[in-house]
Amino acid sequence: MSASFYQPDTVTCNGEQFKIFINRQQIDERISQLGEQLDKDFADKKPIFIGILNGAFIFLADIMRHVSIPCEVDFMKLSSYGDEKVSSGQVTELKHIDAKIEGRHVILVEDIIDTGLSMNYMVKRMKEENPASVSVCSLLHKKEATKFDVQIDYVGFEIPNAFVLGYGLDYAQEGRNLSQIYVIDKEND
Ligand code: 5GP
Protein backbone atom coordinates (compact mmCIF):
# COMPACT_ATOMS: atom_id res chain seq x y z
CA MET A 1 0.00 0.00 0.00
CA SER A 2 1.37 3.43 -0.90
CA ALA A 3 0.90 6.39 1.43
CA SER A 4 -2.12 8.62 0.74
CA PHE A 5 -1.80 12.13 -0.66
CA TYR A 6 -0.25 14.70 1.68
CA GLN A 7 -3.18 16.98 2.52
CA PRO A 8 -3.27 18.41 6.06
CA ASP A 9 -5.72 21.22 6.97
CA THR A 10 -2.91 23.55 8.08
CA VAL A 11 0.81 23.42 7.51
CA THR A 12 3.95 25.24 8.61
CA CYS A 13 6.45 25.81 5.82
CA ASN A 14 9.78 27.54 6.44
CA GLY A 15 8.39 29.01 9.66
CA GLU A 16 5.17 30.46 8.11
CA GLN A 17 1.67 29.15 8.86
CA PHE A 18 -0.63 28.26 5.99
CA LYS A 19 -4.29 27.17 5.97
CA ILE A 20 -6.33 25.24 3.43
CA PHE A 21 -7.62 27.41 0.58
CA ILE A 22 -8.62 25.18 -2.37
CA ASN A 23 -9.16 21.50 -1.59
CA ARG A 24 -8.53 18.41 -3.70
CA GLN A 25 -12.12 17.99 -4.78
CA GLN A 26 -12.34 21.59 -5.98
CA ILE A 27 -9.05 21.23 -7.85
CA ASP A 28 -10.07 17.92 -9.46
CA GLU A 29 -13.47 19.22 -10.55
CA ARG A 30 -12.05 22.37 -12.09
CA ILE A 31 -9.24 20.56 -13.89
CA SER A 32 -11.70 18.09 -15.33
CA GLN A 33 -13.78 21.00 -16.73
CA LEU A 34 -10.66 22.62 -18.20
CA GLY A 35 -9.66 19.29 -19.78
CA GLU A 36 -13.06 18.99 -21.47
CA GLN A 37 -12.75 22.52 -22.80
CA LEU A 38 -9.25 21.88 -24.16
CA ASP A 39 -10.45 18.67 -25.83
CA LYS A 40 -13.06 20.70 -27.70
CA ASP A 41 -10.89 23.69 -28.54
CA PHE A 42 -7.89 21.67 -29.74
CA ALA A 43 -9.59 18.72 -31.44
CA ASP A 44 -7.52 17.86 -34.57
CA LYS A 45 -4.84 20.41 -33.62
CA LYS A 46 -2.38 18.12 -31.78
CA PRO A 47 -1.31 20.85 -29.36
CA ILE A 48 1.97 20.92 -27.49
CA PHE A 49 1.69 21.69 -23.79
CA ILE A 50 4.64 23.68 -22.51
CA GLY A 51 4.91 23.56 -18.74
CA ILE A 52 6.76 26.33 -16.94
CA LEU A 53 9.01 24.78 -14.32
CA ASN A 54 9.13 24.29 -11.50
CA GLY A 55 5.68 25.29 -10.25
CA ALA A 56 3.52 23.94 -13.08
CA PHE A 57 4.66 20.33 -12.97
CA ILE A 58 1.77 18.96 -10.89
CA PHE A 59 -0.97 20.96 -12.62
CA LEU A 60 0.45 20.00 -16.02
CA ALA A 61 0.54 16.31 -15.09
CA ASP A 62 -3.09 16.45 -13.97
CA ILE A 63 -4.49 18.52 -16.80
CA MET A 64 -2.81 16.39 -19.47
CA ARG A 65 -4.49 13.33 -18.02
CA HIS A 66 -7.86 15.02 -18.46
CA VAL A 67 -7.23 15.59 -22.15
CA SER A 68 -7.95 12.78 -24.62
CA ILE A 69 -6.86 14.32 -27.92
CA PRO A 70 -3.35 13.61 -29.30
CA CYS A 71 -0.92 16.03 -27.65
CA GLU A 72 2.73 16.48 -26.74
CA VAL A 73 4.62 18.03 -23.85
CA ASP A 74 7.78 20.02 -23.30
CA PHE A 75 9.14 22.27 -20.54
CA MET A 76 10.63 25.67 -20.05
CA LYS A 77 12.25 26.80 -16.84
CA LEU A 78 12.07 30.36 -15.61
CA SER A 79 13.05 32.01 -12.39
CA SER A 80 11.58 35.25 -11.11
CA TYR A 81 10.84 34.71 -7.42
CA GLY A 82 14.08 33.32 -6.04
CA ASP A 83 13.33 32.20 -2.49
CA GLU A 84 11.22 35.20 -1.54
CA LYS A 85 7.46 35.77 -1.29
CA VAL A 86 7.57 38.67 -3.77
CA SER A 87 8.76 38.69 -7.35
CA SER A 88 12.30 39.86 -8.07
CA GLY A 89 10.85 41.71 -11.08
CA GLN A 90 13.24 39.99 -13.48
CA VAL A 91 12.77 36.88 -15.57
CA THR A 92 15.72 34.57 -16.07
CA GLU A 93 15.40 31.74 -18.58
CA LEU A 94 17.03 28.68 -17.04
CA LYS A 95 15.91 26.11 -19.64
CA HIS A 96 14.43 26.50 -23.10
CA ILE A 97 12.16 23.98 -24.86
CA ASP A 98 13.70 21.28 -27.04
CA ALA A 99 10.69 20.92 -29.35
CA LYS A 100 10.35 22.79 -32.63
CA ILE A 101 7.12 24.76 -32.31
CA GLU A 102 6.95 26.47 -35.71
CA GLY A 103 3.42 25.96 -37.06
CA ARG A 104 2.31 24.19 -33.87
CA HIS A 105 -0.50 25.02 -31.46
CA VAL A 106 1.19 25.84 -28.16
CA ILE A 107 -0.55 25.77 -24.77
CA LEU A 108 1.57 27.44 -22.09
CA VAL A 109 0.80 25.91 -18.70
CA GLU A 110 1.56 27.89 -15.56
CA ASP A 111 0.77 27.36 -11.88
CA ILE A 112 -0.04 31.00 -11.14
CA ILE A 113 -0.09 34.36 -12.86
CA ASP A 114 0.73 37.11 -10.39
CA THR A 115 2.14 40.32 -11.91
CA GLY A 116 2.03 38.65 -15.35
CA LEU A 117 5.73 39.35 -15.91
CA SER A 118 6.71 35.70 -16.53
CA MET A 119 3.79 34.93 -18.82
CA ASN A 120 4.17 38.17 -20.77
CA TYR A 121 7.79 37.13 -21.35
CA MET A 122 6.86 33.54 -22.25
CA VAL A 123 4.24 34.48 -24.83
CA LYS A 124 6.63 36.88 -26.59
CA ARG A 125 9.40 34.27 -26.47
CA MET A 126 7.17 31.58 -28.01
CA LYS A 127 5.92 33.89 -30.75
CA GLU A 128 9.51 34.44 -31.91
CA GLU A 129 9.43 30.80 -33.08
CA ASN A 130 6.32 31.27 -35.29
CA PRO A 131 3.86 28.81 -33.75
CA ALA A 132 0.37 28.53 -35.31
CA SER A 133 -1.12 29.75 -32.01
CA VAL A 134 -0.17 30.41 -28.40
CA SER A 135 -2.73 29.89 -25.63
CA VAL A 136 -2.27 30.44 -21.92
CA CYS A 137 -3.60 28.08 -19.27
CA SER A 138 -2.99 28.96 -15.62
CA LEU A 139 -4.31 27.14 -12.57
CA LEU A 140 -4.45 30.36 -10.53
CA HIS A 141 -4.67 34.05 -11.36
CA LYS A 142 -4.19 36.98 -8.99
CA LYS A 143 -6.18 39.48 -11.01
CA GLU A 144 -5.58 42.45 -8.68
CA ALA A 145 -1.82 41.93 -8.86
CA THR A 146 -1.54 41.61 -12.63
CA LYS A 147 0.23 44.61 -14.16
CA PHE A 148 1.62 43.16 -17.39
CA ASP A 149 -0.47 42.56 -20.46
CA VAL A 150 -1.36 38.84 -20.66
CA GLN A 151 -4.31 37.16 -22.30
CA ILE A 152 -5.27 34.19 -20.14
CA ASP A 153 -7.36 31.76 -22.16
CA TYR A 154 -7.94 29.11 -19.47
CA VAL A 155 -7.89 29.82 -15.74
CA GLY A 156 -8.61 27.41 -12.91
CA PHE A 157 -9.33 29.91 -10.12
CA GLU A 158 -9.22 33.68 -9.75
CA ILE A 159 -7.72 34.35 -6.31
CA PRO A 160 -7.03 37.42 -4.15
CA ASN A 161 -3.57 38.90 -3.83
CA ALA A 162 -2.22 36.59 -1.10
CA PHE A 163 0.71 34.16 -1.05
CA VAL A 164 -0.34 30.57 -1.78
CA LEU A 165 1.44 27.26 -1.37
CA GLY A 166 1.11 23.62 -2.43
CA TYR A 167 0.10 21.62 -5.51
CA GLY A 168 3.40 22.52 -7.15
CA LEU A 169 3.73 26.00 -5.63
CA ASP A 170 6.61 26.46 -3.20
CA TYR A 171 7.83 28.70 -0.44
CA ALA A 172 11.65 28.77 -0.67
CA GLN A 173 11.46 25.48 -2.61
CA GLU A 174 9.40 23.64 0.01
CA GLY A 175 5.73 22.71 0.06
CA ARG A 176 5.34 21.69 -3.59
CA ASN A 177 4.34 18.18 -2.48
CA LEU A 178 1.17 19.35 -0.69
CA SER A 179 -1.71 18.02 -2.76
CA GLN A 180 -4.05 20.95 -2.06
CA ILE A 181 -3.62 24.73 -2.24
CA TYR A 182 -2.95 26.67 0.97
CA VAL A 183 -2.91 30.40 1.74
CA ILE A 184 -0.68 32.20 4.20
CA ASP A 185 -2.46 32.55 7.55
CA LYS A 186 -2.12 36.20 8.57
CA GLU A 187 -3.92 35.60 11.90
CA ASN A 188 -1.03 33.43 12.99
CA ASP A 189 1.71 35.87 11.93
P1 5GP B 1 4.57 36.67 -12.16
O1 5GP B 1 5.70 36.68 -13.15
O2 5GP B 1 3.21 36.55 -12.79
O3 5GP B 1 4.65 37.85 -11.22
O4 5GP B 1 4.80 35.43 -11.22
C1 5GP B 1 4.74 34.16 -11.71
C2 5GP B 1 5.52 33.20 -10.84
O5 5GP B 1 5.68 33.70 -9.52
C3 5GP B 1 4.77 31.92 -10.67
O6 5GP B 1 5.11 30.99 -11.66
C4 5GP B 1 5.20 31.43 -9.31
O7 5GP B 1 6.41 30.72 -9.42
C5 5GP B 1 5.48 32.69 -8.56
N1 5GP B 1 4.35 33.09 -7.68
C6 5GP B 1 3.50 34.13 -7.85
N2 5GP B 1 2.60 34.20 -6.85
C7 5GP B 1 2.90 33.17 -6.03
C8 5GP B 1 2.30 32.70 -4.81
O8 5GP B 1 1.32 33.22 -4.26
N3 5GP B 1 2.86 31.59 -4.26
C9 5GP B 1 3.95 30.96 -4.81
N4 5GP B 1 4.40 29.88 -4.18
N5 5GP B 1 4.53 31.38 -5.95
C10 5GP B 1 4.00 32.47 -6.55
Side-chain angles (χ1 to χ4, degrees), residues 3 7 9-10 23-24 27 32 34 39 59 63 65 68 93-94 97 99 112 118 130 140 147 163 170 176 185:
Q7 46 187 27
D9 291 335
T10 60
N23 69 29
R24 279 212 61 79
I27 296 171
S32 152
L34 289 175
D39 264 350
F59 175 46
I63 196 140
R65 286 176 293 174
S68 56
E93 197 175 305
L94 302 174
I97 47 170
I112 186 164
S118 316
N130 299 318
L140 304 173
K147 297 185 290 214
F163 189 77
D170 74 307
R176 297 190 196 274
D185 190 354

Short mmCIF file of all heavy atoms in Angstrom, two decimals, residues 3 7 9-10 23-24 27 32 34 39 59 63 65 68 93-94 97 99 112 118 130 140 147 163 170 176 185:
data_model
loop_
_atom_site.label_atom_id
_atom_site.label_comp_id
_atom_site.label_asym_id
_atom_site.label_seq_id
_atom_site.Cartn_x
_atom_site.Cartn_y
_atom_site.Cartn_z
N ALA A 3 1.46 5.38 0.52
CA ALA A 3 0.90 6.39 1.43
C ALA A 3 -0.14 7.22 0.68
O ALA A 3 -0.06 7.34 -0.54
CB ALA A 3 2.03 7.28 1.92
N GLN A 7 -2.18 15.91 2.55
CA GLN A 7 -3.18 16.98 2.52
C GLN A 7 -3.70 17.37 3.91
O GLN A 7 -4.87 17.19 4.22
CB GLN A 7 -4.35 16.61 1.59
CG GLN A 7 -4.88 15.21 1.79
CD GLN A 7 -5.92 14.86 0.74
OE1 GLN A 7 -5.92 15.38 -0.37
NE2 GLN A 7 -6.85 14.00 1.09
N ASP A 9 -4.86 20.03 7.02
CA ASP A 9 -5.72 21.22 6.97
C ASP A 9 -4.88 22.50 7.13
O ASP A 9 -5.22 23.54 6.57
CB ASP A 9 -6.76 21.19 8.10
CG ASP A 9 -7.78 20.10 7.85
OD1 ASP A 9 -7.98 19.75 6.66
OD2 ASP A 9 -8.36 19.60 8.82
N THR A 10 -3.82 22.41 7.92
CA THR A 10 -2.91 23.55 8.08
C THR A 10 -1.49 23.00 7.97
O THR A 10 -1.27 21.81 8.21
CB THR A 10 -3.06 24.23 9.46
OG1 THR A 10 -2.76 23.26 10.47
CG2 THR A 10 -4.43 24.80 9.68
N ASN A 23 -9.40 22.92 -1.92
CA ASN A 23 -9.16 21.50 -1.59
C ASN A 23 -9.11 20.61 -2.83
O ASN A 23 -9.37 21.04 -3.95
CB ASN A 23 -10.18 21.01 -0.54
CG ASN A 23 -11.59 20.92 -1.10
OD1 ASN A 23 -11.80 20.70 -2.30
ND2 ASN A 23 -12.57 21.07 -0.23
N ARG A 24 -8.75 19.36 -2.60
CA ARG A 24 -8.53 18.41 -3.70
C ARG A 24 -9.74 18.28 -4.60
O ARG A 24 -9.63 18.22 -5.81
CB ARG A 24 -8.22 17.02 -3.15
CG ARG A 24 -6.81 16.82 -2.73
CD ARG A 24 -6.39 15.38 -2.96
NE ARG A 24 -6.49 15.02 -4.36
CZ ARG A 24 -5.59 15.33 -5.28
NH1 ARG A 24 -4.53 16.03 -4.96
NH2 ARG A 24 -5.75 14.95 -6.53
N ILE A 27 -10.10 21.24 -6.81
CA ILE A 27 -9.05 21.23 -7.85
C ILE A 27 -9.42 20.20 -8.93
O ILE A 27 -9.41 20.51 -10.12
CB ILE A 27 -7.66 20.90 -7.24
CG1 ILE A 27 -7.22 21.98 -6.26
CG2 ILE A 27 -6.62 20.72 -8.34
CD1 ILE A 27 -5.97 21.64 -5.44
N SER A 32 -10.93 18.92 -14.42
CA SER A 32 -11.70 18.09 -15.33
C SER A 32 -12.49 18.97 -16.32
O SER A 32 -12.55 18.68 -17.52
CB SER A 32 -12.57 17.18 -14.47
OG SER A 32 -13.70 16.82 -15.10
N LEU A 34 -11.64 22.01 -17.28
CA LEU A 34 -10.66 22.62 -18.20
C LEU A 34 -10.23 21.60 -19.26
O LEU A 34 -10.08 21.94 -20.44
CB LEU A 34 -9.42 23.12 -17.44
CG LEU A 34 -9.59 24.35 -16.56
CD1 LEU A 34 -8.31 24.63 -15.78
CD2 LEU A 34 -9.96 25.58 -17.38
N ASP A 39 -10.13 19.73 -24.85
CA ASP A 39 -10.45 18.67 -25.83
C ASP A 39 -11.25 19.25 -27.00
O ASP A 39 -11.01 18.93 -28.15
CB ASP A 39 -11.30 17.58 -25.16
CG ASP A 39 -10.45 16.42 -24.68
OD1 ASP A 39 -9.26 16.36 -25.02
OD2 ASP A 39 -10.99 15.57 -23.95
N PHE A 59 0.21 20.55 -11.84
CA PHE A 59 -0.97 20.96 -12.62
C PHE A 59 -0.89 20.39 -14.03
O PHE A 59 -1.87 19.85 -14.56
CB PHE A 59 -1.04 22.49 -12.63
CG PHE A 59 -2.15 23.07 -13.48
CD1 PHE A 59 -3.44 22.57 -13.42
CD2 PHE A 59 -1.88 24.15 -14.32
CE1 PHE A 59 -4.46 23.12 -14.21
CE2 PHE A 59 -2.88 24.70 -15.10
CZ PHE A 59 -4.17 24.19 -15.05
N ILE A 63 -3.64 18.05 -15.69
CA ILE A 63 -4.49 18.52 -16.80
C ILE A 63 -4.28 17.66 -18.04
O ILE A 63 -5.23 17.33 -18.75
CB ILE A 63 -4.33 20.03 -17.09
CG1 ILE A 63 -5.51 20.48 -17.95
CG2 ILE A 63 -3.04 20.40 -17.78
CD1 ILE A 63 -6.04 21.80 -17.60
N ARG A 65 -3.77 14.59 -18.16
CA ARG A 65 -4.49 13.33 -18.02
C ARG A 65 -5.99 13.50 -18.09
O ARG A 65 -6.75 12.55 -18.02
CB ARG A 65 -4.06 12.62 -16.72
CG ARG A 65 -2.66 12.03 -16.88
CD ARG A 65 -2.17 11.41 -15.61
NE ARG A 65 -1.96 12.43 -14.58
CZ ARG A 65 -1.65 12.15 -13.33
NH1 ARG A 65 -1.55 10.90 -12.94
NH2 ARG A 65 -1.44 13.13 -12.47
N SER A 68 -8.00 14.07 -23.90
CA SER A 68 -7.95 12.78 -24.62
C SER A 68 -7.55 12.91 -26.08
O SER A 68 -7.46 11.92 -26.79
CB SER A 68 -9.30 12.07 -24.49
OG SER A 68 -10.31 12.91 -24.97
N GLU A 93 15.75 33.00 -17.92
CA GLU A 93 15.40 31.74 -18.58
C GLU A 93 16.47 30.71 -18.22
O GLU A 93 17.63 30.86 -18.59
CB GLU A 93 15.36 31.99 -20.09
CG GLU A 93 14.65 30.93 -20.85
CD GLU A 93 14.52 31.30 -22.32
OE1 GLU A 93 13.99 32.39 -22.64
OE2 GLU A 93 14.96 30.49 -23.15
N LEU A 94 16.07 29.69 -17.50
CA LEU A 94 17.03 28.68 -17.04
C LEU A 94 17.06 27.46 -17.96
O LEU A 94 18.04 26.74 -17.99
CB LEU A 94 16.69 28.24 -15.61
CG LEU A 94 16.66 29.36 -14.57
CD1 LEU A 94 16.17 28.84 -13.23
CD2 LEU A 94 18.04 29.99 -14.41
N ILE A 97 12.74 25.22 -24.33
CA ILE A 97 12.16 23.98 -24.86
C ILE A 97 13.10 23.32 -25.86
O ILE A 97 13.91 24.00 -26.50
CB ILE A 97 10.80 24.25 -25.55
CG1 ILE A 97 10.90 25.46 -26.51
CG2 ILE A 97 9.71 24.46 -24.54
CD1 ILE A 97 9.71 25.65 -27.39
N ALA A 99 11.57 21.14 -28.19
CA ALA A 99 10.69 20.92 -29.35
C ALA A 99 10.76 22.07 -30.34
O ALA A 99 11.03 23.22 -29.96
CB ALA A 99 9.25 20.76 -28.86
N ILE A 112 0.62 29.77 -11.60
CA ILE A 112 -0.04 31.00 -11.14
C ILE A 112 0.44 32.19 -11.94
O ILE A 112 1.63 32.28 -12.28
CB ILE A 112 0.21 31.20 -9.62
CG1 ILE A 112 -0.59 32.38 -9.07
CG2 ILE A 112 1.68 31.36 -9.29
CD1 ILE A 112 -0.69 32.38 -7.55
N SER A 118 6.18 36.95 -15.95
CA SER A 118 6.71 35.70 -16.53
C SER A 118 5.92 35.31 -17.78
O SER A 118 6.50 34.92 -18.79
CB SER A 118 6.64 34.54 -15.53
OG SER A 118 7.07 34.94 -14.28
N ASN A 130 7.41 31.40 -34.31
CA ASN A 130 6.32 31.27 -35.29
C ASN A 130 5.40 30.05 -35.11
O ASN A 130 5.18 29.29 -36.05
CB ASN A 130 6.89 31.26 -36.72
CG ASN A 130 7.61 32.54 -37.02
OD1 ASN A 130 7.12 33.62 -36.66
ND2 ASN A 130 8.78 32.45 -37.63
N LEU A 140 -4.02 29.25 -11.39
CA LEU A 140 -4.45 30.36 -10.53
C LEU A 140 -4.13 31.69 -11.19
O LEU A 140 -3.17 31.79 -11.97
CB LEU A 140 -3.71 30.29 -9.18
CG LEU A 140 -3.85 28.99 -8.39
CD1 LEU A 140 -2.92 29.00 -7.18
CD2 LEU A 140 -5.28 28.76 -7.94
N LYS A 147 -0.11 43.28 -13.62
CA LYS A 147 0.23 44.61 -14.16
C LYS A 147 0.63 44.50 -15.63
O LYS A 147 0.56 45.45 -16.37
CB LYS A 147 1.43 45.19 -13.40
CG LYS A 147 1.16 45.45 -11.94
CD LYS A 147 2.34 46.13 -11.28
CE LYS A 147 3.52 45.20 -11.17
NZ LYS A 147 4.36 45.36 -9.99
N PHE A 163 -0.30 35.18 -0.68
CA PHE A 163 0.71 34.16 -1.05
C PHE A 163 0.14 32.76 -0.83
O PHE A 163 -0.34 32.43 0.25
CB PHE A 163 1.97 34.36 -0.21
CG PHE A 163 3.11 33.51 -0.68
CD1 PHE A 163 3.84 33.86 -1.81
CD2 PHE A 163 3.45 32.34 -0.01
CE1 PHE A 163 4.89 33.07 -2.26
CE2 PHE A 163 4.50 31.54 -0.45
CZ PHE A 163 5.22 31.91 -1.58
N ASP A 170 5.69 26.59 -4.33
CA ASP A 170 6.61 26.46 -3.20
C ASP A 170 6.71 27.72 -2.36
O ASP A 170 6.28 28.80 -2.77
CB ASP A 170 8.02 26.19 -3.74
CG ASP A 170 8.65 27.44 -4.37
OD1 ASP A 170 7.99 28.03 -5.25
OD2 ASP A 170 9.75 27.84 -3.97
N ARG A 176 5.90 22.04 -2.28
CA ARG A 176 5.34 21.69 -3.59
C ARG A 176 4.57 20.37 -3.53
O ARG A 176 3.69 20.11 -4.34
CB ARG A 176 6.45 21.55 -4.64
CG ARG A 176 7.22 22.83 -4.91
CD ARG A 176 8.11 22.64 -6.13
NE ARG A 176 9.15 23.65 -6.25
CZ ARG A 176 8.99 24.83 -6.85
NH1 ARG A 176 7.83 25.18 -7.34
NH2 ARG A 176 10.00 25.69 -6.93
N ASP A 185 -1.49 32.26 6.49
CA ASP A 185 -2.46 32.55 7.55
C ASP A 185 -1.99 33.76 8.34
O ASP A 185 -1.17 33.66 9.24
CB ASP A 185 -2.58 31.32 8.45
CG ASP A 185 -3.74 31.45 9.43
OD1 ASP A 185 -4.37 32.54 9.47
OD2 ASP A 185 -4.02 30.47 10.13
#
